[in-house]
Amino acid sequence: MTISRREFSRLGALGFAAHAFSTVPVLGQSEQKKIGYCVIGLGRIADHHMRGIAQSSTSTVTALVSGHRDKAEKIAAQYGVPKISIYSYEDMDRIRENKAIDAVIVCLPNSMHAEYTSRSAKAGKHVLCEKPMAISVAECEAMISACKAANVKLMIAYRLHYEPLTLKTIKMIRDGAIGKVEAIDSANGFNIAPNEWRSTHALGGGGPLMDVGVYSLNATRYLTGEEPVAFTAVATTPDHDGRFQGVEENLAWTMKFPSGAVASCTTTYGASMPGYYKVFGSKGWLEVDEFGYEGLHLTANYRNDRNAPATKIDERNPEPDPKQFTRQIDHFSRCIRENRTPDTPGEEGLKDMQHIQSIYKAAGITLG
């Protein structure tokens, strides 16, 4: 279902876009202009992105797109954005004329990602889009095509791909620390408040799998380095309290990978479910608590042979929020400067959406 910009503005879950110029010293080079960003969508996730940009040496906020002018002006003053660089959803195509904008960050509800990615690409701006990339495989493919046609870069905001403890975990598995991966267990969810846009099909495109569940799905892929080939799934809605408007409340699924590894994942909008994944290997196990913006905790226990003493790891990443967002934006800005493909391009989001479609099909749910 498509929802209009005017209807979205009335719902109160807004958008904005930000961008600004300046010069900064950069690694062995004289001086380079910061990459200017226009953040589209003035909700909670946009605040994390903007605070991450504020701590970046490569990037800056230079424009806003919002359906609420008053709110946008307050944020503009906070980040030094001129009022002339505040746009509405209706006139945001004028960002083409703003030379201070190099790229946009799409922070809107899921069902609006495709439209605003394509419009931004047509305006000649690189795009960093929040996950899930879109609400269908067809939309993901259209976004990739639009960015390629406009010769702009498209990156999906998988911030954990740039987080040090996650990268360490992946390296440990690739180096064989816990042996051959046999199974993965993962969960992520929360008890959603009434009237959240996420709980409506029109804006969310689906239930928790489209939101927090994508963390577990994506984790199984980067941990194994493989794409799943078989799926089972079941969806339920125990709470008939009006919060779930055409979407599931709970979803549990299993996946089989080409190597023979299996994964079991659960996601919910009906309970507090702190995110985690645990990987079981032939030589031991490792676990990471939280998919959150800070406080990731790695524990592991493994041994090279049965007679050797166990190696134990208990490590936390002390970096506070919004450091993950700073790392992510620095990566994208470097890709723009150096004309490199991001580590999490549109194709990464497309793969997740293809698997989400398979999970929903296994649960008897039709997208669209």
Side-chain angles (χ1 to χ4, degrees), residues 49-122:
H49 280 286
M50 287 186 290
R51 289 189 291 113
I53 291 172
Q55 295 185 16
S56 168
S57 63
T58 67
S59 314
T60 187
V61 176
T62 55
L64 308 175
V65 176
S66 176
H68 295 257
R69 181 78 188 190
D70 291 347
K71 185 176 184 179
E73 287 188 1
K74 289 179 181 178
I75 292 175
Q78 182 180 352
Y79 288 94
V81 175
K83 290 183 179 181
I84 196 172
S85 293
I86 299 174
Y87 304 89
S88 68
Y89 292 111
E90 287 75 17
D91 72 359
M92 71 148 273
D93 299 311
R94 293 194 300 108
I95 65 173
R96 171 186 292 277
E97 305 157 10
N98 192 333
K99 302 303 182 183
I101 301 173
D102 302 297
V104 306
I105 306 177
V106 179
C107 298
L108 297 165
N110 306 341
S111 66
M112 304 174 78
H113 289 182
E115 175 187 349
Y116 285 86
T117 292
S118 295
R119 287 175 68 181
S120 298
K122 289 176 182 177

Side-chain angles (χ1 to χ4, degrees), residues 2 29 33 36 48 112 146 158 181 198 203 223 286 310-311 314 320 323 331 344 359:
T2 300
Q29 300 179 15
K33 177 186 75 69
H48 290 279
M112 304 174 78
Y158 289 101
V181 174
R198 290 172 175 82
L203 290 173
L223 292 168
L286 63 80
T311 297
D314 189 330
K323 183 62 176 180
H331 175 79
T344 53
I359 294 166

Side-chain angles (χ1 to χ4, degrees), residues 302-311:
Y302 57 91
R303 62 185 75 212
N304 290 328
D305 62 63
R306 297 184 181 182
N307 298 320
T311 297

Side-chain angles (χ1 to χ4, degrees), residues 10-67:
R10 284 201 297 266
L11 286 173
L14 317 182
F16 85 89
H19 242 77
F21 271 90
S22 67
T23 56
V24 289
V26 176
L27 296 175
Q29 300 179 15
S30 54
E31 287 190 342
Q32 289 189 351
K33 177 186 75 69
K34 287 186 177 182
I35 299 298
Y37 283 90
C38 173
V39 186
I40 306 174
L42 206 54
R44 286 170 291 187
I45 194 66
D47 177 64
H48 290 279
H49 280 286
M50 287 186 290
R51 289 189 291 113
I53 291 172
Q55 295 185 16
S56 168
S57 63
T58 67
S59 314
T60 187
V61 176
T62 55
L64 308 175
V65 176
S66 176

Side-chain angles (χ1 to χ4, degrees), residues 106-276:
V106 179
C107 298
L108 297 165
N110 306 341
S111 66
M112 304 174 78
H113 289 182
E115 175 187 349
Y116 285 86
T117 292
S118 295
R119 287 175 68 181
S120 298
K122 289 176 182 177
K125 309 303 181 183
H126 303 288
V127 180
L128 173 59
C129 180
E130 262 299 333
K131 58 191 177 303
M133 181 176 176
I135 61 172
S136 71
V137 169
E139 284 191 348
C140 293
E141 292 173 338
M143 293 161 70
I144 293 170
S145 295
C147 290
K148 286 184 176 178
N151 195 30
V152 298
K153 300 186 185 304
L154 172 60
M155 175 171 151
I156 310 304
Y158 289 101
R159 57 185 164 76
L160 292 176
H161 284 240
Y162 310 98
E163 190 276 323
L165 208 61
T166 302
L167 295 174
K168 177 175 180 174
T169 301
I170 295 170
K171 187 176 188 304
M172 286 175 61
I173 293 174
R174 297 290 188 277
D175 290 346
I178 63 170
K180 180 178 174 59
V181 174
E182 303 289 344
I184 301 173
D185 180 39
S186 183
N188 198 26
F190 68 102
N191 205 339
I192 201 166
N195 303 316
E196 276 266 8
W197 65 259
R198 290 172 175 82
S199 66
T200 68
H201 193 276
L203 290 173
L209 178 59
M210 282 283 201
D211 184 14
V212 285
V214 75
Y215 285 94
S216 292
L217 169 61
N218 194 255
T220 64
R221 295 178 49 236
Y222 61 66
L223 292 168
T224 61
E226 299 181 280
E227 301 299 333
V229 294
F231 306 83
T232 66
V234 61
T236 65
T237 303
D239 294 318
H240 303 287
D241 55 13
R243 285 183 297 166
F244 307 103
Q245 302 173 43
V247 302
E248 78 282 357
E249 180 179 2
N250 303 319
L251 200 148
W253 74 98
T254 64
M255 297 177 288
K256 174 186 175 182
F257 292 84
S259 63
V262 293
S264 176
C265 305
T266 307
T267 187
T268 184
Y269 272 162
S272 176
M273 184 182 285
Y276 75 92

